[in-house]
Amino acid sequence: MNNILEATDLRIRRGGVQVLDLPRFSLAAEEKVAVIGPNGAGKSSLLLGLACLLRRESGTISFNGEAVMERGETAYRRRIAMVFQEPLLFDTTVIDNVAEGLRIRGKGREEARDIARESLELFKVGHLTGRSAHKLSGGEAQRVSLARAFAVRPELLLMDEPFSSLDLPTRIVLAEDLGRILHESGTAAIIATHDRIEAFHIVDRLVVMDKGSVVQQGSPQEVLKQPVNAFVAAFRRTTVPTAGG
């Protein structure tokens, strides 16, 4: 399978401190990857770097076989979508929030709203179209945020701790729904999380990070049943789910 994304020798500094040192990272078309690790591991820096939202000290990024040059970063970012820990919704209606990215991409008002409705239905919040985005529960707001990201039909979806502020039952249900939608749509995705349980509902591959570097990667079962060191083993806090669990 061809790679949709490749990064080579990617290094990023923040505040003078190196926070990411990644010799090579690739993502296959339609692949779903979870980047796991504790706070400060470099997960957010990796996602922001891949989205060209952080200036890189060195390294190259290729998307669908073409190098992403500095002058072409805006066009590249319009082909991907990113979801953050906080939904960051505008102070307007739910449907206008979801339609905004489509309007920016040149869709007419009615077409954008039609696509927005479809995306909201996909995430089971179609009944919230006219509600103020600032009057949503945490789970509703994150579903709307995901619907907004999917509405633009991204070729790649990046998600930075999208469930961390939600309670456990809400996280599990939303992770299950997101995993189903990602696999049905064939959308390539990278999710950063410190909770491996969420990852089991979504991904094909785990990437374990610590101090800005990759410690181990492989299938979820491989990484969690055959950890390379005590650091990776620390994520085995609960029983590894069985297939379909």
Side-chain angles (χ1 to χ4, degrees):
M1 185 177 293
N2 294 330
N3 289 334
I4 187 173
L5 181 72
E6 294 184 355
T8 305
D9 296 326
L10 189 61
R11 293 181 178 85
I12 293 175
R13 287 183 181 272
R14 303 178 78 171
V17 177
Q18 184 166 288
V19 294
L20 187 69
D21 183 2
L22 197 67
R24 180 173 174 78
F25 180 87
S26 62
L27 182 73
E30 300 190 14
E31 187 181 18
K32 287 78 179 164
V33 168
V35 183
I36 64 174
N39 291 336
K43 305 184 301 295
S44 295
S45 295
L46 172 59
L47 263 62
L48 291 169
L50 293 175
C52 294
L53 294 174
L54 274 183
R55 183 173 297 278
R56 51 189 182 270
E57 181 181 40
S58 66
T60 60
I61 297 173
S62 296
F63 190 67
N64 281 326
E66 296 184 3
V68 178
M69 308 302 290
E70 187 172 345
R71 285 180 294 179
E73 288 180 357
T74 299
Y76 161 64
R77 285 196 293 267
R78 288 191 174 186
R79 299 172 66 184
I80 68 176
M82 189 161 184
V83 176
F84 296 92
Q85 179 177 340
E86 296 298 327
L88 302 178
L89 299 176
F90 303 120
D91 187 12
T92 184
T93 63
V94 164
I95 194 166
D96 284 339
N97 265 277
V98 178
E100 180 64 22
L102 295 160
R103 298 298 304 276
I104 291 173
R105 287 163 173 78
K107 299 290 186 184
R109 184 175 186 273
E110 290 308 314
E111 182 182 7
R113 289 170 71 87
D114 287 344
I115 296 171
R117 288 189 188 94
E118 292 175 6
S119 194
L120 287 164
E121 289 290 346
L122 190 64
F123 282 91
K124 302 178 181 178
V125 284
H127 59 290
L128 299 176
T129 54
R131 186 178 299 181
S132 167
H134 286 186
K135 294 183 179 180
L136 301 175
S137 69
E140 289 170 341
Q142 200 56 284
R143 284 180 179 271
V144 171
S145 183
L146 287 163
R148 181 171 62 184
F150 262 86
V152 300
R153 307 292 194 268
E155 297 172 59
L156 169 63
L157 180 64
L158 304 173
M159 297 169 283
D160 190 8
E161 302 270 10
F163 311 132
S164 63
S165 63
L166 307 178
D167 61 75
L168 181 59
T170 302
R171 289 207 313 266
I172 291 174
V173 172
L174 184 49
E176 290 174 344
D177 286 344
L178 176 61
R180 171 181 51 80
I181 292 166
L182 284 171
H183 284 280
E184 289 177 354
S185 66
T187 305
I190 305 172
I191 179 171
T193 178
H194 63 275
D195 186 345
R196 68 173 182 81
I197 300 300
E198 295 171 1
F200 268 96
H201 295 289
I202 299 173
V203 305
D204 311 301
R205 175 163 52 111
L206 288 184
V207 175
V208 185
M209 292 189 68
D210 185 34
K211 299 176 182 177
S213 298
V214 172
V215 180
Q216 184 178 359
Q217 60 180 308
S219 71
Q221 294 289 341
E222 176 187 352
V223 171
L224 296 170
K225 287 188 174 181
Q226 300 175 359
V228 296
N229 57 27
F231 174 81
V232 178
F235 287 96
R236 300 177 61 187
R237 290 189 294 267
T238 58
T239 303
V240 175
T242 57

